[in-house]
Amino acid sequence: MSDDDTPVPDAAPAGSLPHGLVQRGEGVWLDLSLAPAQLRAAVDQLFQSGQLLAGLDYALFLLTLFHAPAPRAAPKGDALLRIAARVAPFPPQRRALYKQVKIRGDSAEFYFEALSPGADGQVPARREFDELVADLWCKGVRYGIDGAAVRSILGSGKAERITVARALPPQPGRDAQLVEVSHGIHRDDAPRERSDGRLDLLSFKNRFPQVKKHARLLRLLPGAPGLPGYDLAGTLLPPPAPLELDPVAVAGAGTAVERFNDGDYVVATQDGYVNVDEHGKISIENKIVSREGVSSRTTGNLKLRAAYEEYGEVQEQRQLDGSDITIHGDVYGHLHSHGGLIWLQRNLVGGTAFNEHGDVRVEGVASGSVLQALSGEIHLKRAESCVIAGTRVVIDHASNCEIIADEAVIELAEGCAVAARTIRIGSAGPRKQVEMLLFPLVPDLSALEQRIAESMEKAAQYQQAQHKRQQEMDAIAQLPEVRNYLTLAGQLRRGELQLQPAQQLQYDKLAARIAPVLKEVARLRVEVKQSEILQAQMLALVAQVRQQRQATAGQSRCSLGLVDGETAVRTMVVPPGPAKVYDRPPKEIKALLRSATPATQPVFADSSGSLDWVYQPPP
């Protein structure tokens, strides 16, 4: 019935049905002005009274009692919903046909066996779906009857056990999530196009994308609630609450969370590369971080102009060109850095590490590899069968390596060929059949010695010029008039002689005659002084170059703490020129150190003892 108490035409008399059910000539109706819980109470009262709903529209019945929204506020005639044809009695003898129901957790089973004749020999009429609904309701199964399956087996007459009802589990909603909104954070693994228009199949077009400042990267998509379920008793089963997500938790360095009209976004606060760590936090940095390794499948060859950090491996034949490179996995390929530090935290096997303006450091083992630092240091824990060249090389244990540097510091060297201006080795010896060779690099002093010889020759020439000018001055001084003038001039200057007017006239005439000669003497005296100054300058330059020669020679030294097996030390002259002695291809370094072609001078050859040698150039 509706909220209006006016009688409904053709309705059953008041009190014949529970409140909420209305009977008319054309069927049984539900009063939709009542809440679903009130309608369920009305149906329960009806079924518990030994009655049932014949001709039941079970799908509409289930939807109205459990899934209907709030009550409708509508006129009386519009708030009724027909769900059955009539209300019929459900006698006990008919109820006895439905004893085979078994309720197991979230499902109910029924064994549809053949009906046996009664005491009067009559076989009961077949079971009815409406009776099963009423019987299950009274037994606590008020939700989830599979109407299609039950009607099918009732129509077939088969004897079979089936599941007649199932609970409806709650349906989870959608958890909050972050969705990508920027095309700039997507990789482009297409082959890179070269400058000549051809495609480089070994390199990807954009493996590590960059984004601009203020670019929107991620959008927060809020969670959506799920749908409730019902157990067999019709009890509401609420869905699990959707997981919430705080975008601040995933906004790393170089990003921020900003709110716009259409939602919350993670935006870039600077230009840079997109990095996502193992916890899913996104950041924008000047350094590239990769966790997939460098291979033909993941990145191809890389040519970068930013710091690079790789947590995977660098596979064979892969080339990584960048700066400030850090690799956490093993390296089998080729690294080329234009500056910064090449830091390998594991092993370098069969690859190369070349740094133009920086250091190279390997925490693991370097084996069968090439390591070069043109303007930096190389630090190795252990090196085996490697070619190593750098400004300064420091190795804990080197075996069967070719090493060339300005300074080489090795704790233990076995079967190596080492060339450096300064060599310091704790223990040195051969390895199996490979000899231990040390080449202190001594400077080529010929240029300095030539400067010394040229300066000495010029000093001698200036000295000869002095003697020549002095002889000329002595010859002029022996001329009679000059000697007499100089004698008179000296006596007058000392006050030993007083001239009479006539004598003064003759003296003036004499001075006028020898004036040009005296000018020549003065010129010769200036030249003598200049020669003395130039000679002194040349001798000072000779002393300076000699000190430079001694200092240059003193840079070459070799120190061996312990000689353990046949070890040979030979000096090798460094060719003159600005080129660095270690700036050579690996093949040339091996040929230089392992062949007998370079001219060397023996310093030490023994199987025991120690050595502390400093180069002393010949006098």
Side-chain angles (χ1 to χ4, degrees):
M1 298 178 66
S2 66
D3 294 337
D4 189 357
D5 293 333
T6 304
V8 179
D10 300 329
S16 60
L17 291 179
H19 179 62
L21 292 174
V22 178
Q23 173 123 27
R24 291 179 177 176
E26 64 270 23
V28 180
W29 305 71
L30 289 176
D31 187 353
L32 298 184
S33 64
L34 301 180
Q38 295 174 295
L39 297 179
R40 291 196 295 270
V43 172
D44 182 64
Q45 184 179 351
L46 177 69
F47 287 160
Q48 296 294 346
S49 66
Q51 300 181 81
L52 56 83
L53 294 171
L56 177 65
D57 186 342
Y58 184 73
L60 186 58
F61 172 81
L62 202 66
L63 182 64
T64 306
L65 296 187
F66 295 96
H67 299 281
R72 293 175 53 186
K76 189 171 188 177
D78 295 334
L80 297 178
L81 178 66
R82 185 182 184 278
I83 59 165
R86 66 185 185 281
V87 174
F90 190 12
Q93 60 270 24
R94 293 292 301 174
R95 192 182 296 272
L97 300 177
Y98 302 94
K99 294 182 178 180
Q100 302 298 327
V101 175
K102 291 185 178 180
I103 300 175
R104 297 181 178 179
D106 293 338
S107 64
E109 296 180 352
F110 187 87
Y111 180 57
F112 290 89
E113 61 182 356
L115 298 177
S116 57
D120 55 358
Q122 297 291 328
V123 177
R126 69 186 185 95
R127 297 182 179 91
E128 298 291 340
F129 176 77
D130 299 335
E131 294 177 343
L132 182 63
V133 171
D135 182 72
L136 289 176
W137 185 284
C138 295
K139 292 177 179 176
V141 181
R142 302 183 178 184
Y143 183 89
I145 297 177
D146 189 346
V150 172
R151 286 190 172 93
S152 175
I153 196 168
L154 288 176
S156 66
K158 294 180 180 179
E160 185 178 351
R161 180 182 298 277
I162 68 169
T163 299
V164 295
R166 290 183 179 87
L168 176 65
Q171 300 180 19
R174 183 187 70 239
D175 294 336
Q177 57 184 323
L178 291 170
V179 294
E180 298 178 0
V181 294
S182 173
H183 296 290
I185 63 177
H186 290 282
R187 293 172 172 172
D188 188 351
D189 291 342
R192 175 181 293 173
E193 184 176 356
R194 296 176 177 174
S195 57
D196 57 4
R198 294 185 300 171
L199 296 178
D200 184 0
L201 300 180
L202 300 179
S203 303
F204 294 158
K205 187 174 182 180
N206 184 22
R207 184 61 183 179
F208 300 103
Q210 291 178 279
V211 296
K212 296 294 184 180
K213 186 177 180 179
H214 303 307
R216 298 185 187 185
L217 307 177
L218 303 173
R219 178 189 177 189
L220 176 63
L221 190 62
L227 298 176
Y230 291 90
D231 61 11
L232 294 180
T235 303
L236 182 70
L237 302 177
L243 296 178
E244 297 298 330
L245 181 62
D246 184 6
V248 176
V250 300
T255 67
V257 177
E258 296 184 11
R259 175 161 294 178
F260 297 91
N261 294 333
D262 55 346
D264 293 343
Y265 287 84
V266 177
V267 300
T269 58
Q270 66 180 33
D271 298 343
Y273 292 90
V274 179
N275 291 324
V276 181
D277 63 14
E278 62 274 14
H279 303 294
K281 179 172 287 189
I282 187 171
S283 59
I284 308 299
E285 301 175 358
N286 293 326
K287 180 173 70 172
I288 300 173
V289 179
S290 172
R291 304 181 185 278
E292 300 175 340
V294 178
S295 67
S296 58
R297 178 183 59 83
T298 57
T299 65
N301 295 336
L302 292 175
K303 190 171 184 179
L304 310 169
R305 286 297 176 265
Y308 182 80
E309 185 173 6
E310 175 60 66
Y311 283 83
E313 295 182 349
V314 179
Q315 293 188 355
E316 295 87 348
Q317 305 304 320
R318 293 304 101 198
Q319 298 180 5
L320 200 166
D321 188 316
S323 60
D324 204 1
I325 300 172
T326 301
I327 309 293
H328 295 268
D330 293 327
V331 175
Y332 303 93
H334 309 290
L335 308 180
H336 184 165
S337 179
H338 300 271
L341 170 67
I342 295 181
W343 186 17
L344 309 184
Q345 298 193 4
R346 293 191 65 181
N347 306 314
L348 175 64
V349 182
T352 61
F354 180 83
N355 200 338
E356 295 182 9
H357 303 284
D359 300 343
V360 177
R361 181 183 296 273
V362 180
E363 302 297 341
V365 178
S367 177
S369 302
V370 176
L371 301 99
Q372 289 183 285
L374 300 185
S375 298
E377 299 184 0
I378 297 178
H379 291 260
L380 305 176
K381 300 274 186 192
R382 183 180 180 88
E384 300 175 352
S385 303
C386 294
V387 176
I388 305 168
T391 305
R392 186 170 185 264
V393 175
V394 180
I395 307 175
D396 290 348
H397 184 189
S399 174
N400 193 29
C401 295
E402 289 78 33
I403 303 168
I404 188 167
D406 279 339
E407 180 183 2
V409 180
I410 307 172
E411 189 65 28
L412 173 61
E414 298 176 316
C416 296
V418 183
R421 287 185 173 87
T422 301
I423 300 176
R424 296 202 303 270
I425 298 179
S427 177
R431 176 177 173 81
K432 296 182 180 180
Q433 304 301 321
V434 182
E435 58 184 343
M436 184 72 202
L437 300 175
L438 301 177
F439 300 98
L441 299 177
V442 299
D444 185 355
L445 302 176
S446 59
L448 296 178
E449 292 170 351
Q450 184 178 357
R451 288 182 61 189
I452 293 175
E454 292 175 351
S455 299
M456 290 292 293
E457 183 180 355
K458 288 182 179 180
Q461 293 175 357
Y462 292 138
Q463 187 176 18
Q464 290 178 0
Q466 292 177 45
H467 289 313
K468 184 178 179 180
R469 298 296 180 266
Q470 187 64 45
Q471 290 174 356
E472 292 178 359
M473 290 169 57
D474 292 343
I476 293 173
Q478 295 302 321
L479 294 175
E481 285 188 345
V482 174
R483 186 170 61 250
N484 292 335
Y485 175 79
L486 294 177
T487 301
L488 289 174
Q491 291 175 347
L492 292 173
R493 187 171 54 253
R494 292 191 299 271
E496 297 174 355
L497 181 65
Q498 296 292 329
L499 296 177
Q500 297 299 322
Q503 293 175 331
Q504 183 66 44
L505 181 61
Q506 292 179 355
Y507 178 78
D508 293 339
K509 292 180 179 180
L510 177 62
R513 288 196 304 269
I514 67 171
V517 178
L518 295 178
K519 289 182 178 180
E520 179 66 17
V521 171
R523 185 186 66 80
L524 293 175
R525 186 175 289 112
V526 171
E527 291 185 359
V528 169
K529 189 63 177 177
Q530 290 177 344
S531 297
E532 290 177 353
I533 294 174
L534 292 174
Q535 180 188 11
Q537 290 178 347
M538 289 298 103
L539 294 177
L541 180 60
V542 168
Q544 179 182 353
V545 176
R546 282 176 175 170
Q547 291 179 354
Q548 182 181 355
R549 176 175 178 267
Q550 185 66 32
T552 304
Q555 295 176 0
S556 300
R557 58 183 61 209
C558 180
S559 174
L560 300 178
L562 174 64
V563 176
D564 186 12
E566 290 295 333
T567 300
V569 181
R570 291 176 169 269
T571 63
M572 182 184 297
V573 178
V574 179
K580 300 175 181 178
V581 68
Y582 45 83
D583 186 8
R584 304 180 181 210
K587 290 184 179 180
E588 291 188 14
I589 294 176
K590 295 189 70 170
L592 177 67
L593 300 185
R594 291 298 185 182
S595 66
T597 53
T600 58
Q601 294 294 328
V603 173
F604 176 88
D606 208 336
S607 59
S608 61
S610 60
L611 177 67
D612 190 4
W613 172 86
V614 178
Y615 176 56
Q616 293 294 337

